Amino acid sequence: MALVTITNVWKYYGKTVAVKDLNITCKDGEFVSVLGPSGCGKSSTLRMLAGLEHISAGDIRFGDTRVNDLEPKDRDIAMVFENYALYPHKTVYENMANPLRLRNESEDTIKKRIAFAAEMLEIEYLLQRKPMELSGGQKQRTAIGRAIVREPKLFLFDEPIAHLDAKLRARMRGELKIMQRRLGTTMIYVTHDQLEAMSMADRIAVMNNGVLQQFGTPQEIYNHPVNEWVAGFVGEPPMNFIDCDLIEEGGGFYAVHSAFKVAVPADQAAKLRGALKSSGVRMGIRPDQMAISLGQEGAAKGSIKITEPLGGDTLVDVDLKGAHHVLVKTDADFRGQMNNSCSLNFDTSRWHFFSKETGVAYF
Amino acid sequence: MSSRDAVVYKTPLSRIWTIFTVIFIAFYLLWTLLPLVIMTFSSFKDLLAAFQLPPVGAFSEIGLFFNFTPTTKHYYNLFVNLGFTTYFLNSIIAAGGSAIISVVLGSMCAYALSRYEFRGKSDLFFWIISTRMAPVVAVLVPLYAIFRGMDLIGTQAGLILAFTTFNLPFAIWILKGFFDNVPYAIEEASMVDGSTRFQAFRAILPLVAPGIGAFVILCILFAWNDFLFASIIGSGGAKTLPPATVELVQPQNIQWGSIMAAGVITTLPMMLLGLLIRRYLVTGLTMGAVRE
Ligand SMILES: Nc1ncnc2c1ncn2[C@@H]1O[C@H](COP(=O)(O)OP(=O)(O)OP(=O)(O)O)[C@@H](O)[C@H]1O
Ligand SMILES: [Mg+2]
């Protein structure tokens, strides 16, 4: 078990910068997810933690030990690779036994640990097969098995369940989380799937282009994104962004757009004061933070472009006057039709404002 | 992943092609096997019987060829009177020794060349294979001088060293290609599992087994069949089968029977080796272990 500290870490591949000045601290036993789009430097970060990649600059510490110059075998970690990396000439059983054999565990222990892992991963019936005879999902589960048979200080998982089908993935999310809680082992879990990160992690590190954007609990990331990019990346369907002007009128602030003029609650006004002088702000609001109604009574007026019933609820694509599309999530029994006029009411306690130039959140 | 069974479609052209192939193979078999058959039969024949051949074109009298009382006196003569037991062992030691040394050094060197980037790597690699470009005769005289200076002429060690000099670049060249095809990820997984760099190298050796198998065959074949090195550097104390066989050709007495028997005992082990190692030559071991 370990406290993992990443301090001012950079990673260069030749001239390409994969990771820029990264700072992350994971507490002992914490489940930290590294979330970001493809190519943002997630795997590079994980591989530096594993000791497979040279750290271009900065320090990584496990507890009090600086591990920059430690070989992978001396770091006491278990890793699940993005591309499985199973031993092709060994059976599933021998693949999972390998880390234990290298540590001279007894055959009894090996058998017990593998039986436990295989049961959890539902691969008991595959134990005697070779990797070539497995499907992608089965390989991935074998790779997870190889990592969890040990009791390492730190788990490093690189998109471990990306290749399972939706149902199995949902179950594995739960299983992995339970397993991590039970073992109490620090986990760093790389994924590009925000649902995985949100549902499993204690804290999420959101990365883009090699730069850490925000590091916080799933609730913080979701409810208080630090910038427009994080706000847009996290949440499904994504947050709506609407450019509007901010004006001061009769002691209060108003967000003004050709389709609406909405008063900003007093407690938010203070944080927005700085934005008054700028050329405008960008308002962000999630699809489920608006109420839609047919007719023109609501604050923002528009018309329905298309409705997408999803079973449990309905997504409505609304055309606001002024060429803005807004996606609204509403009940399944919403009866609007294409081209009906409609209006929206914003939940002003939960909307966000971002600087138009820098994307930084005012709140 | 694609299936291993290739789909074959039959067309008239492909049928003609098949017939042509069968005829070609039949002739080819005749061409390669006939000398071996004649050699094997002759080695069991008395000298007189060996030269009893039917007249040219008389195929009905072909039975004459098989009409003889088998004798093992040539083999007896070889092993008991002519000391071929020693030559046979010398051949095995020289071929096996150089194969083992070349495989061990060659695989480590090929691994390093495959995995590490360093300045001058391609030059180094070219230099290694360029040592195989010169014909053996071209270097034989200087090599002889060097070996004599080091007292290696006529010793097993000298012969093994000479063969290794020629086999090692070859080993590096073949094995590097095989190591290049093994994904890094497998070694990385092994190192994360807790192995040292050297253990990780050993962990991927089974994946290059086809390469090692192919190389061992070629290396042993080279040493086993070699005449030049064996007669010049190995002459005397480390005489192998080929020079020993040539010595059976004496000006006043060519010992045909013994020469045939020597031919058989030289050929047989190589055939057995080929059968033995065949299954290692099947490639495709790494398929499916890593997501491409
Ligand atoms: N060995 C390498 N040599 C050169 N550039 C590399 C190498 N590995 C990664 N990169 C680059 O570094 C950047 C970050 O790569 P990385 O693999 O960390 O991304 P990632 O976040 O894991 O993406 P994905 O979700 O697709 O796995 C990318 O721009 C990539 O092109
Ligand atoms: Mg990656």
Side-chain angles (χ1 to χ4, degrees), chain B residues 31-53:
Chain B
W31 168 262
T32 47
L33 290 182
L34 205 56
L36 290 179
V37 171
I38 293 175
M39 177 179 80
T40 312
F41 274 97
S42 305
S43 73
F44 289 107
K45 282 178 181 175
D46 204 67
L47 193 59
L48 226 59
F51 285 99
Q52 267 182 0
L53 295 173

Side-chain angles (χ1 to χ4, degrees), chain A residues 47 52 72-73 77-79 81-89 98-99 102-103 131-132 139 146 150 163, chain B residues 1 4 185-186 188-197 199 203 206-207 284-291:
Chain A
R47 291 168 55 82
L52 298 171
K73 74 175 172 66
I77 45 166
M79 178 161 176
F81 288 79
E82 203 170 359
N83 54 5
Y84 324 132
L86 300 175
Y87 308 112
H89 54 295
N98 193 51
L102 283 166
R103 281 176 179 71
M132 209 178 99
K139 283 180 205 170
R146 186 172 58 182
R150 281 186 43 208
H163 289 264
Chain B
M1 194 166 57
R4 282 182 172 181
I186 295 173
E188 291 179 345
S190 174
M191 287 193 284
V192 169
D193 276 357
S195 61
T196 59
R197 183 98 217 181
Q199 283 172 316
L207 304 178
L285 262 171
T286 63
M287 262 160 59
V290 166
R291 203 172 81 219

Side-chain angles (χ1 to χ4, degrees), chain A residues 11-19 34-47 53 82 158-159 190-192 207 209-210, chain B residues 291:
Chain A
K11 178 69 202 172
Y12 297 93
Y13 296 103
K15 285 215 157 55
T16 334
V17 190
V19 176
V34 180
L35 175 67
S38 187
C40 71
K42 307 182 295 289
S43 297
S44 303
T45 306
L46 208 64
R47 291 168 55 82
E53 210 75 68
E82 203 170 359
D158 198 348
E159 313 206 10
V190 162
T191 179
H192 63 258
M207 287 181 75
N209 273 329
Chain B
R291 203 172 81 219

